[in-house]
């Protein structure tokens, strides 16, 4: 860990601007608070410090193999009573008109025979990231992609157990889930409009299926597209940080909702719900840091998860969704 260069938000923006202007490929990790960022040229990124596997590139070679043996995966979520206290803070603010949607998250202790390195090696996920002996991420959620001057975002909102009869139709026709998804799509459209033109929702509420150690899940996403100005790469850092924090893991309106999150949650998010990504000198790919297991200094493993709360939310259902997301896609 001693060789990792943690920098401030301002330093990260300057580095990203400079690397973008000079078409230098780089990798980045930005925590939720934007206070402990990592921005490094790809040729200086040590796989002893940071390992990643993205859809188009990686800095390690992983064999296609399965984990041998039984997986021990015991979870110890906070009590329903404690969750209710956090939920009440959120719900009161929603009914008070301070937020339309708030993403409430929790930290769940996990007892497992899988190490962070094991999880990085064996999980199946769109984006995988391992930061030294600190945390592992196996995220299904794209944050933004930049290709040939166009920017794309894919907010993910809505999760259901795939074994539920007619699960796809159930979640697509759920009034609460529909409203939550629409709110986030509108928020992301607004975010992209700050830095691009011709912002359009090109795909609305499509479904991906995820395999996990506890069964399959269906998740709902949309695609939003905008056109970036000429020469955007020289202000890549300024532009990118204007989109943070990610709307799908905060809520709307974003600034006030982040204040509510800080009051309601009982732990520190850290890198969970931050973003990570890579710029190849021309195009950019990035992910939201969700599906996240962190190793604490005392060796305790904490899985961080949550979901969106609206005025239609049922506290018991939200509590169960938070626990349902405590999984590893090792199968």
């Amino acid at each position: 860990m001693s060789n990792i260069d943690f920098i401030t938000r301002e330093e990260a923006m300057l580095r990203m601007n400079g690397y973008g202007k000079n078409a230098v490929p780089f990798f980045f990790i930005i925590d939720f608070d934007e206070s402990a960022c990592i921005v490094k040229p790809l040729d200086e990124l040590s796989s002893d410090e940071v390992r990643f596997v993205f859809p188009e590139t990686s800095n390690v070679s992983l064999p296609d193999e399965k984990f041998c043996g039984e997986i021990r995966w015991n979870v110890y979520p906070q009590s329903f009573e404690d969750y209710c206290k956090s939920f009440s803070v959120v719900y009161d603010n929603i009914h008070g008109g301070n937020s339309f949607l708030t993403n409430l998250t929790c930290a769940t202790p996990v007892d497992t025979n899988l190490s962070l390195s094991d999880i990085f090696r064996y999980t199946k996920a769109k984006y995988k990231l391992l930061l030294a002996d600190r945390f592992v991420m196996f995220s299904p959620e794209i944050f933004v992609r930049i290709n040939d001057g166009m920017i794309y975002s894919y907010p993910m909102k809505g999760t259901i157990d795939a074994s539920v009869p007619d699960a796809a139709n159930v979640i697509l026709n759920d009034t609460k889930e529909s409203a939550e998804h629409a709110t986030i799509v509108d928020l992301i459209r607004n975010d992209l409009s700050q830095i691009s033109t011709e912002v359009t929702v090109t795909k609305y509420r499509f479904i991906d299926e995820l395999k996990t150690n506890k069964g399959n899940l269906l998740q709902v996403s949309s695609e939003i597209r905008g056109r970036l100005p000429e020469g955007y790469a020289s202000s890549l850092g300024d532009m990118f940080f204007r989109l943070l924090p990610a709307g799908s893991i905060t809520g709307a309106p974003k600034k006030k909702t982040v204040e509510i999150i800080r009051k309601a949650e009982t732990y520190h998010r850290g890198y969970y719900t931050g973003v990570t990504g890579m710029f190849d000198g021309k195009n950019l790919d990035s992910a939201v840091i969700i599906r996240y297991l962190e190793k604490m200094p005392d060796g305790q493993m904490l899985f961080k998860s949550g979901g969106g709360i609206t005025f239609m939310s049922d506290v018991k259902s939200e509590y169960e969704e938070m626990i349902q997301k405590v999984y590893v896609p090792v199968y």
Side-chain angles (χ1 to χ4, degrees), residues 288-321:
V288 182
I289 302 177
I290 57 173
R291 309 302 185 264
Y292 172 101
L293 186 68
E294 183 173 344
K295 185 177 181 181
M296 307 305 290
D298 63 0
Q300 173 69 65
M301 296 286 203
L302 289 180
F303 195 106
K304 299 178 179 180
S305 66
I309 311 300
T310 72
F311 75 95
M312 290 182 284
S313 291
D314 170 73
V315 63
K316 188 67 174 179
S317 297
E318 297 297 342
Y319 178 69
E320 290 171 353
E321 179 180 335

PDB file of all heavy atoms in Angstrom, residues 288-321:
ATOM      1  N   VAL A 288     -19.189   2.070 -11.796  1.00  0.00           N
ATOM      2  CA  VAL A 288     -19.554   2.443 -10.433  1.00  0.00           C
ATOM      3  C   VAL A 288     -19.039   1.348  -9.502  1.00  0.00           C
ATOM      4  O   VAL A 288     -19.204   0.154  -9.774  1.00  0.00           O
ATOM      5  CB  VAL A 288     -21.077   2.590 -10.288  1.00  0.00           C
ATOM      6  CG1 VAL A 288     -21.432   3.021  -8.861  1.00  0.00           C
ATOM      7  CG2 VAL A 288     -21.619   3.607 -11.290  1.00  0.00           C
ATOM      8  N   ILE A 289     -18.402   1.742  -8.404  1.00  0.00           N
ATOM      9  CA  ILE A 289     -17.817   0.765  -7.478  1.00  0.00           C
ATOM     10  C   ILE A 289     -18.905   0.226  -6.542  1.00  0.00           C
ATOM     11  O   ILE A 289     -19.123   0.713  -5.434  1.00  0.00           O
ATOM     12  CB  ILE A 289     -16.643   1.378  -6.691  1.00  0.00           C
ATOM     13  CG1 ILE A 289     -15.573   1.882  -7.668  1.00  0.00           C
ATOM     14  CG2 ILE A 289     -16.038   0.355  -5.738  1.00  0.00           C
ATOM     15  CD1 ILE A 289     -14.405   2.571  -6.989  1.00  0.00           C
ATOM     16  N   ILE A 290     -19.638  -0.760  -7.063  1.00  0.00           N
ATOM     17  CA  ILE A 290     -20.638  -1.480  -6.262  1.00  0.00           C
ATOM     18  C   ILE A 290     -20.297  -2.963  -6.314  1.00  0.00           C
ATOM     19  O   ILE A 290     -19.392  -3.375  -7.024  1.00  0.00           O
ATOM     20  CB  ILE A 290     -22.073  -1.243  -6.757  1.00  0.00           C
ATOM     21  CG1 ILE A 290     -22.223  -1.634  -8.230  1.00  0.00           C
ATOM     22  CG2 ILE A 290     -22.456   0.220  -6.546  1.00  0.00           C
ATOM     23  CD1 ILE A 290     -23.665  -1.588  -8.727  1.00  0.00           C
ATOM     24  N   ARG A 291     -21.045  -3.786  -5.549  1.00  0.00           N
ATOM     25  CA  ARG A 291     -20.712  -5.187  -5.345  1.00  0.00           C
ATOM     26  C   ARG A 291     -19.280  -5.216  -4.814  1.00  0.00           C
ATOM     27  O   ARG A 291     -18.333  -5.536  -5.518  1.00  0.00           O
ATOM     28  CB  ARG A 291     -20.862  -6.012  -6.627  1.00  0.00           C
ATOM     29  CG  ARG A 291     -22.194  -5.841  -7.331  1.00  0.00           C
ATOM     30  CD  ARG A 291     -23.396  -6.193  -6.437  1.00  0.00           C
ATOM     31  NE  ARG A 291     -24.636  -6.125  -7.191  1.00  0.00           N
ATOM     32  CZ  ARG A 291     -25.453  -5.080  -7.230  1.00  0.00           C
ATOM     33  NH1 ARG A 291     -25.158  -3.988  -6.534  1.00  0.00           N
ATOM     34  NH2 ARG A 291     -26.571  -5.114  -7.930  1.00  0.00           N
ATOM     35  N   TYR A 292     -19.159  -4.900  -3.539  1.00  0.00           N
ATOM     36  CA  TYR A 292     -17.891  -4.459  -2.956  1.00  0.00           C
ATOM     37  C   TYR A 292     -17.662  -5.109  -1.599  1.00  0.00           C
ATOM     38  O   TYR A 292     -18.536  -5.079  -0.723  1.00  0.00           O
ATOM     39  CB  TYR A 292     -17.996  -2.931  -2.815  1.00  0.00           C
ATOM     40  CG  TYR A 292     -16.906  -2.221  -2.081  1.00  0.00           C
ATOM     41  CD1 TYR A 292     -15.905  -1.559  -2.780  1.00  0.00           C
ATOM     42  CD2 TYR A 292     -16.904  -2.135  -0.693  1.00  0.00           C
ATOM     43  CE1 TYR A 292     -14.920  -0.843  -2.098  1.00  0.00           C
ATOM     44  CE2 TYR A 292     -15.917  -1.432  -0.011  1.00  0.00           C
ATOM     45  CZ  TYR A 292     -14.935  -0.783  -0.730  1.00  0.00           C
ATOM     46  OH  TYR A 292     -13.968  -0.077  -0.067  1.00  0.00           O
ATOM     47  N   LEU A 293     -16.491  -5.728  -1.441  1.00  0.00           N
ATOM     48  CA  LEU A 293     -16.104  -6.346  -0.181  1.00  0.00           C
ATOM     49  C   LEU A 293     -14.796  -5.724   0.288  1.00  0.00           C
ATOM     50  O   LEU A 293     -13.809  -5.705  -0.453  1.00  0.00           O
ATOM     51  CB  LEU A 293     -15.936  -7.853  -0.349  1.00  0.00           C
ATOM     52  CG  LEU A 293     -15.671  -8.663   0.928  1.00  0.00           C
ATOM     53  CD1 LEU A 293     -16.899  -8.668   1.837  1.00  0.00           C
ATOM     54  CD2 LEU A 293     -15.269 -10.098   0.573  1.00  0.00           C
ATOM     55  N   GLU A 294     -14.787  -5.210   1.518  1.00  0.00           N
ATOM     56  CA  GLU A 294     -13.628  -4.500   2.054  1.00  0.00           C
ATOM     57  C   GLU A 294     -13.040  -5.259   3.240  1.00  0.00           C
ATOM     58  O   GLU A 294     -13.774  -5.774   4.092  1.00  0.00           O
ATOM     59  CB  GLU A 294     -14.042  -3.096   2.495  1.00  0.00           C
ATOM     60  CG  GLU A 294     -12.904  -2.235   3.008  1.00  0.00           C
ATOM     61  CD  GLU A 294     -13.328  -0.801   3.263  1.00  0.00           C
ATOM     62  OE1 GLU A 294     -14.408  -0.387   2.773  1.00  0.00           O
ATOM     63  OE2 GLU A 294     -12.582  -0.075   3.944  1.00  0.00           O
ATOM     64  N   LYS A 295     -11.722  -5.317   3.285  1.00  0.00           N
ATOM     65  CA  LYS A 295     -11.023  -5.937   4.405  1.00  0.00           C
ATOM     66  C   LYS A 295     -10.573  -4.859   5.370  1.00  0.00           C
ATOM     67  O   LYS A 295      -9.797  -3.972   5.021  1.00  0.00           O
ATOM     68  CB  LYS A 295      -9.813  -6.731   3.909  1.00  0.00           C
ATOM     69  CG  LYS A 295      -9.106  -7.515   5.002  1.00  0.00           C
ATOM     70  CD  LYS A 295      -7.961  -8.348   4.409  1.00  0.00           C
ATOM     71  CE  LYS A 295      -7.251  -9.154   5.482  1.00  0.00           C
ATOM     72  NZ  LYS A 295      -6.130  -9.952   4.896  1.00  0.00           N
ATOM     73  N   MET A 296     -11.070  -4.921   6.602  1.00  0.00           N
ATOM     74  CA  MET A 296     -10.737  -3.942   7.612  1.00  0.00           C
ATOM     75  C   MET A 296      -9.363  -4.248   8.225  1.00  0.00           C
ATOM     76  O   MET A 296      -8.843  -5.357   8.092  1.00  0.00           O
ATOM     77  CB  MET A 296     -11.826  -3.910   8.689  1.00  0.00           C
ATOM     78  CG  MET A 296     -13.229  -3.711   8.133  1.00  0.00           C
ATOM     79  SD  MET A 296     -13.368  -2.230   7.096  1.00  0.00           S
ATOM     80  CE  MET A 296     -13.204  -0.953   8.355  1.00  0.00           C
ATOM     81  N   PRO A 297      -8.752  -3.263   8.921  1.00  0.00           N
ATOM     82  CA  PRO A 297      -7.427  -3.493   9.525  1.00  0.00           C
ATOM     83  C   PRO A 297      -7.371  -4.695  10.459  1.00  0.00           C
ATOM     84  O   PRO A 297      -6.329  -5.344  10.588  1.00  0.00           O
ATOM     85  CB  PRO A 297      -7.169  -2.183  10.279  1.00  0.00           C
ATOM     86  CG  PRO A 297      -7.937  -1.155   9.504  1.00  0.00           C
ATOM     87  CD  PRO A 297      -9.171  -1.863   9.036  1.00  0.00           C
ATOM     88  N   ASP A 298      -8.504  -5.028  11.117  1.00  0.00           N
ATOM     89  CA  ASP A 298      -8.516  -6.172  12.028  1.00  0.00           C
ATOM     90  C   ASP A 298      -8.817  -7.496  11.323  1.00  0.00           C
ATOM     91  O   ASP A 298      -8.954  -8.543  11.969  1.00  0.00           O
ATOM     92  CB  ASP A 298      -9.520  -5.950  13.161  1.00  0.00           C
ATOM     93  CG  ASP A 298     -10.962  -5.833  12.648  1.00  0.00           C
ATOM     94  OD1 ASP A 298     -11.188  -5.927  11.426  1.00  0.00           O
ATOM     95  OD2 ASP A 298     -11.874  -5.644  13.488  1.00  0.00           O
ATOM     96  N   GLY A 299      -8.930  -7.449   9.988  1.00  0.00           N
ATOM     97  CA  GLY A 299      -9.201  -8.651   9.221  1.00  0.00           C
ATOM     98  C   GLY A 299     -10.668  -8.906   8.937  1.00  0.00           C
ATOM     99  O   GLY A 299     -11.005  -9.778   8.129  1.00  0.00           O
ATOM    100  N   GLN A 300     -11.569  -8.171   9.586  1.00  0.00           N
ATOM    101  CA  GLN A 300     -13.008  -8.327   9.356  1.00  0.00           C
ATOM    102  C   GLN A 300     -13.367  -7.960   7.912  1.00  0.00           C
ATOM    103  O   GLN A 300     -12.896  -6.952   7.380  1.00  0.00           O
ATOM    104  CB  GLN A 300     -13.792  -7.430  10.303  1.00  0.00           C
ATOM    105  CG  GLN A 300     -15.302  -7.385  10.046  1.00  0.00           C
ATOM    106  CD  GLN A 300     -15.999  -8.676  10.376  1.00  0.00           C
ATOM    107  OE1 GLN A 300     -16.048  -9.073  11.523  1.00  0.00           O
ATOM    108  NE2 GLN A 300     -16.537  -9.341   9.373  1.00  0.00           N
ATOM    109  N   MET A 301     -14.193  -8.766   7.277  1.00  0.00           N
ATOM    110  CA  MET A 301     -14.673  -8.495   5.929  1.00  0.00           C
ATOM    111  C   MET A 301     -16.029  -7.809   6.005  1.00  0.00           C
ATOM    112  O   MET A 301     -16.944  -8.293   6.681  1.00  0.00           O
ATOM    113  CB  MET A 301     -14.806  -9.794   5.134  1.00  0.00           C
ATOM    114  CG  MET A 301     -13.504 -10.521   4.888  1.00  0.00           C
ATOM    115  SD  MET A 301     -12.484  -9.695   3.643  1.00  0.00           S
ATOM    116  CE  MET A 301     -11.470 -11.075   3.098  1.00  0.00           C
ATOM    117  N   LEU A 302     -16.172  -6.692   5.299  1.00  0.00           N
ATOM    118  CA  LEU A 302     -17.433  -5.956   5.249  1.00  0.00           C
ATOM    119  C   LEU A 302     -17.918  -5.861   3.810  1.00  0.00           C
ATOM    120  O   LEU A 302     -17.182  -5.394   2.929  1.00  0.00           O
ATOM    121  CB  LEU A 302     -17.259  -4.539   5.810  1.00  0.00           C
ATOM    122  CG  LEU A 302     -17.043  -4.373   7.307  1.00  0.00           C
ATOM    123  CD1 LEU A 302     -16.895  -2.890   7.648  1.00  0.00           C
ATOM    124  CD2 LEU A 302     -18.192  -4.985   8.113  1.00  0.00           C
ATOM    125  N   PHE A 303     -19.140  -6.307   3.596  1.00  0.00           N
ATOM    126  CA  PHE A 303     -19.775  -6.174   2.284  1.00  0.00           C
ATOM    127  C   PHE A 303     -20.719  -4.979   2.356  1.00  0.00           C
ATOM    128  O   PHE A 303     -21.552  -4.887   3.256  1.00  0.00           O
ATOM    129  CB  PHE A 303     -20.566  -7.431   1.932  1.00  0.00           C
ATOM    130  CG  PHE A 303     -20.946  -7.527   0.486  1.00  0.00           C
ATOM    131  CD1 PHE A 303     -20.295  -8.406  -0.355  1.00  0.00           C
ATOM    132  CD2 PHE A 303     -21.957  -6.744  -0.041  1.00  0.00           C
ATOM    133  CE1 PHE A 303     -20.638  -8.509  -1.702  1.00  0.00           C
ATOM    134  CE2 PHE A 303     -22.309  -6.828  -1.377  1.00  0.00           C
ATOM    135  CZ  PHE A 303     -21.646  -7.718  -2.210  1.00  0.00           C
ATOM    136  N   LYS A 304     -20.590  -4.050   1.403  1.00  0.00           N
ATOM    137  CA  LYS A 304     -21.408  -2.837   1.421  1.00  0.00           C
ATOM    138  C   LYS A 304     -22.439  -2.900   0.301  1.00  0.00           C
ATOM    139  O   LYS A 304     -22.104  -3.174  -0.854  1.00  0.00           O
ATOM    140  CB  LYS A 304     -20.507  -1.597   1.302  1.00  0.00           C
ATOM    141  CG  LYS A 304     -19.522  -1.495   2.469  1.00  0.00           C
ATOM    142  CD  LYS A 304     -18.577  -0.314   2.362  1.00  0.00           C
ATOM    143  CE  LYS A 304     -17.637  -0.270   3.572  1.00  0.00           C
ATOM    144  NZ  LYS A 304     -16.687   0.874   3.519  1.00  0.00           N
ATOM    145  N   SER A 305     -23.692  -2.657   0.668  1.00  0.00           N
ATOM    146  CA  SER A 305     -24.784  -2.773  -0.307  1.00  0.00           C
ATOM    147  C   SER A 305     -25.952  -1.901   0.118  1.00  0.00           C
ATOM    148  O   SER A 305     -26.006  -1.421   1.250  1.00  0.00           O
ATOM    149  CB  SER A 305     -25.229  -4.233  -0.435  1.00  0.00           C
ATOM    150  OG  SER A 305     -25.806  -4.692   0.779  1.00  0.00           O
ATOM    151  N   GLY A 306     -26.908  -1.723  -0.788  1.00  0.00           N
ATOM    152  CA  GLY A 306     -28.086  -0.921  -0.455  1.00  0.00           C
ATOM    153  C   GLY A 306     -29.060  -0.841  -1.605  1.00  0.00           C
ATOM    154  O   GLY A 306     -29.022  -1.653  -2.527  1.00  0.00           O
ATOM    155  N   GLY A 307     -29.927   0.181  -1.552  1.00  0.00           N
ATOM    156  CA  GLY A 307     -30.934   0.343  -2.595  1.00  0.00           C
ATOM    157  C   GLY A 307     -31.601   1.704  -2.500  1.00  0.00           C
ATOM    158  O   GLY A 307     -31.421   2.442  -1.529  1.00  0.00           O
ATOM    159  N   GLY A 308     -32.378   2.012  -3.515  1.00  0.00           N
ATOM    160  CA  GLY A 308     -33.042   3.310  -3.584  1.00  0.00           C
ATOM    161  C   GLY A 308     -34.341   3.342  -2.804  1.00  0.00           C
ATOM    162  O   GLY A 308     -35.153   2.419  -2.883  1.00  0.00           O
ATOM    163  N   ILE A 309     -34.530   4.434  -2.062  1.00  0.00           N
ATOM    164  CA  ILE A 309     -35.751   4.625  -1.275  1.00  0.00           C
ATOM    165  C   ILE A 309     -36.582   5.742  -1.899  1.00  0.00           C
ATOM    166  O   ILE A 309     -36.054   6.822  -2.188  1.00  0.00           O
ATOM    167  CB  ILE A 309     -35.414   5.007   0.191  1.00  0.00           C
ATOM    168  CG1 ILE A 309     -34.377   4.057   0.794  1.00  0.00           C
ATOM    169  CG2 ILE A 309     -36.689   5.054   1.035  1.00  0.00           C
ATOM    170  CD1 ILE A 309     -34.783   2.621   0.854  1.00  0.00           C
ATOM    171  N   THR A 310     -37.874   5.479  -2.105  1.00  0.00           N
ATOM    172  CA  THR A 310     -38.814   6.501  -2.575  1.00  0.00           C
ATOM    173  C   THR A 310     -39.995   6.540  -1.604  1.00  0.00           C
ATOM    174  O   THR A 310     -40.057   5.753  -0.653  1.00  0.00           O
ATOM    175  CB  THR A 310     -39.339   6.188  -3.992  1.00  0.00           C
ATOM    176  OG1 THR A 310     -40.252   5.083  -3.931  1.00  0.00           O
ATOM    177  CG2 THR A 310     -38.196   5.866  -4.952  1.00  0.00           C
ATOM    178  N   PHE A 311     -40.944   7.433  -1.860  1.00  0.00           N
ATOM    179  CA  PHE A 311     -42.107   7.539  -0.966  1.00  0.00           C
ATOM    180  C   PHE A 311     -42.957   6.278  -1.012  1.00  0.00           C
ATOM    181  O   PHE A 311     -43.767   6.034  -0.123  1.00  0.00           O
ATOM    182  CB  PHE A 311     -42.952   8.767  -1.312  1.00  0.00           C
ATOM    183  CG  PHE A 311     -43.785   8.634  -2.550  1.00  0.00           C
ATOM    184  CD1 PHE A 311     -45.108   8.224  -2.473  1.00  0.00           C
ATOM    185  CD2 PHE A 311     -43.254   8.909  -3.807  1.00  0.00           C
ATOM    186  CE1 PHE A 311     -45.895   8.092  -3.612  1.00  0.00           C
ATOM    187  CE2 PHE A 311     -44.019   8.782  -4.945  1.00  0.00           C
ATOM    188  CZ  PHE A 311     -45.340   8.375  -4.853  1.00  0.00           C
ATOM    189  N   MET A 312     -42.756   5.436  -2.044  1.00  0.00           N
ATOM    190  CA  MET A 312     -43.522   4.193  -2.149  1.00  0.00           C
ATOM    191  C   MET A 312     -42.793   3.006  -1.530  1.00  0.00           C
ATOM    192  O   MET A 312     -43.296   1.890  -1.552  1.00  0.00           O
ATOM    193  CB  MET A 312     -43.808   3.891  -3.627  1.00  0.00           C
ATOM    194  CG  MET A 312     -44.801   4.841  -4.255  1.00  0.00           C
ATOM    195  SD  MET A 312     -45.152   4.416  -5.986  1.00  0.00           S
ATOM    196  CE  MET A 312     -43.660   5.010  -6.778  1.00  0.00           C
ATOM    197  N   SER A 313     -41.613   3.220  -0.961  1.00  0.00           N
ATOM    198  CA  SER A 313     -40.805   2.113  -0.456  1.00  0.00           C
ATOM    199  C   SER A 313     -41.414   1.479   0.788  1.00  0.00           C
ATOM    200  O   SER A 313     -41.961   2.162   1.658  1.00  0.00           O
ATOM    201  CB  SER A 313     -39.394   2.595  -0.134  1.00  0.00           C
ATOM    202  OG  SER A 313     -38.682   2.920  -1.306  1.00  0.00           O
ATOM    203  N   ASP A 314     -41.260   0.174   0.868  1.00  0.00           N
ATOM    204  CA  ASP A 314     -41.639  -0.607   2.049  1.00  0.00           C
ATOM    205  C   ASP A 314     -40.364  -0.977   2.780  1.00  0.00           C
ATOM    206  O   ASP A 314     -39.451  -1.574   2.189  1.00  0.00           O
ATOM    207  CB  ASP A 314     -42.401  -1.864   1.615  1.00  0.00           C
ATOM    208  CG  ASP A 314     -42.615  -2.825   2.771  1.00  0.00           C
ATOM    209  OD1 ASP A 314     -43.450  -2.519   3.640  1.00  0.00           O
ATOM    210  OD2 ASP A 314     -41.922  -3.868   2.808  1.00  0.00           O
ATOM    211  N   VAL A 315     -40.276  -0.646   4.058  1.00  0.00           N
ATOM    212  CA  VAL A 315     -39.028  -0.812   4.797  1.00  0.00           C
ATOM    213  C   VAL A 315     -38.569  -2.268   4.823  1.00  0.00           C
ATOM    214  O   VAL A 315     -37.359  -2.551   4.692  1.00  0.00           O
ATOM    215  CB  VAL A 315     -39.150  -0.226   6.222  1.00  0.00           C
ATOM    216  CG1 VAL A 315     -40.204  -0.956   7.040  1.00  0.00           C
ATOM    217  CG2 VAL A 315     -37.795  -0.250   6.929  1.00  0.00           C
ATOM    218  N   LYS A 316     -39.478  -3.214   4.973  1.00  0.00           N
ATOM    219  CA  LYS A 316     -39.095  -4.619   5.023  1.00  0.00           C
ATOM    220  C   LYS A 316     -38.520  -5.081   3.690  1.00  0.00           C
ATOM    221  O   LYS A 316     -37.507  -5.798   3.638  1.00  0.00           O
ATOM    222  CB  LYS A 316     -40.301  -5.478   5.400  1.00  0.00           C
ATOM    223  CG  LYS A 316     -39.972  -6.939   5.672  1.00  0.00           C
ATOM    224  CD  LYS A 316     -39.123  -7.108   6.916  1.00  0.00           C
ATOM    225  CE  LYS A 316     -38.910  -8.575   7.259  1.00  0.00           C
ATOM    226  NZ  LYS A 316     -38.060  -8.773   8.446  1.00  0.00           N
ATOM    227  N   SER A 317     -39.142  -4.667   2.603  1.00  0.00           N
ATOM    228  CA  SER A 317     -38.660  -5.047   1.272  1.00  0.00           C
ATOM    229  C   SER A 317     -37.280  -4.459   0.997  1.00  0.00           C
ATOM    230  O   SER A 317     -36.410  -5.118   0.404  1.00  0.00           O
ATOM    231  CB  SER A 317     -39.641  -4.584   0.196  1.00  0.00           C
ATOM    232  OG  SER A 317     -40.893  -5.220   0.348  1.00  0.00           O
ATOM    233  N   GLU A 318     -37.080  -3.205   1.419  1.00  0.00           N
ATOM    234  CA  GLU A 318     -35.776  -2.560   1.196  1.00  0.00           C
ATOM    235  C   GLU A 318     -34.691  -3.247   2.020  1.00  0.00           C
ATOM    236  O   GLU A 318     -33.556  -3.418   1.562  1.00  0.00           O
ATOM    237  CB  GLU A 318     -35.853  -1.072   1.542  1.00  0.00           C
ATOM    238  CG  GLU A 318     -36.807  -0.269   0.685  1.00  0.00           C
ATOM    239  CD  GLU A 318     -36.410  -0.229  -0.784  1.00  0.00           C
ATOM    240  OE1 GLU A 318     -35.232  -0.530  -1.096  1.00  0.00           O
ATOM    241  OE2 GLU A 318     -37.267   0.106  -1.622  1.00  0.00           O
ATOM    242  N   TYR A 319     -35.021  -3.632   3.230  1.00  0.00           N
ATOM    243  CA  TYR A 319     -34.072  -4.333   4.093  1.00  0.00           C
ATOM    244  C   TYR A 319     -33.672  -5.672   3.448  1.00  0.00           C
ATOM    245  O   TYR A 319     -32.492  -6.027   3.396  1.00  0.00           O
ATOM    246  CB  TYR A 319     -34.713  -4.573   5.456  1.00  0.00           C
ATOM    247  CG  TYR A 319     -33.866  -5.340   6.459  1.00  0.00           C
ATOM    248  CD1 TYR A 319     -32.719  -4.769   7.009  1.00  0.00           C
ATOM    249  CD2 TYR A 319     -34.242  -6.619   6.865  1.00  0.00           C
ATOM    250  CE1 TYR A 319     -31.954  -5.472   7.943  1.00  0.00           C
ATOM    251  CE2 TYR A 319     -33.476  -7.322   7.797  1.00  0.00           C
ATOM    252  CZ  TYR A 319     -32.343  -6.743   8.337  1.00  0.00           C
ATOM    253  OH  TYR A 319     -31.586  -7.434   9.255  1.00  0.00           O
ATOM    254  N   GLU A 320     -34.649  -6.380   2.922  1.00  0.00           N
ATOM    255  CA  GLU A 320     -34.385  -7.668   2.289  1.00  0.00           C
ATOM    256  C   GLU A 320     -33.581  -7.503   0.999  1.00  0.00           C
ATOM    257  O   GLU A 320     -32.714  -8.330   0.689  1.00  0.00           O
ATOM    258  CB  GLU A 320     -35.696  -8.396   2.019  1.00  0.00           C
ATOM    259  CG  GLU A 320     -36.372  -8.868   3.308  1.00  0.00           C
ATOM    260  CD  GLU A 320     -37.778  -9.393   3.087  1.00  0.00           C
ATOM    261  OE1 GLU A 320     -38.280  -9.272   1.943  1.00  0.00           O
ATOM    262  OE2 GLU A 320     -38.374  -9.924   4.046  1.00  0.00           O
ATOM    263  N   GLU A 321     -33.823  -6.415   0.239  1.00  0.00           N
ATOM    264  CA  GLU A 321     -33.055  -6.171  -0.983  1.00  0.00           C
ATOM    265  C   GLU A 321     -31.592  -5.896  -0.649  1.00  0.00           C
ATOM    266  O   GLU A 321     -30.680  -6.362  -1.335  1.00  0.00           O
ATOM    267  CB  GLU A 321     -33.630  -4.993  -1.771  1.00  0.00           C
ATOM    268  CG  GLU A 321     -32.830  -4.686  -3.041  1.00  0.00           C
ATOM    269  CD  GLU A 321     -33.381  -3.521  -3.844  1.00  0.00           C
ATOM    270  OE1 GLU A 321     -34.588  -3.223  -3.742  1.00  0.00           O
ATOM    271  OE2 GLU A 321     -32.585  -2.900  -4.584  1.00  0.00           O
TER     272      GLU A 321
END
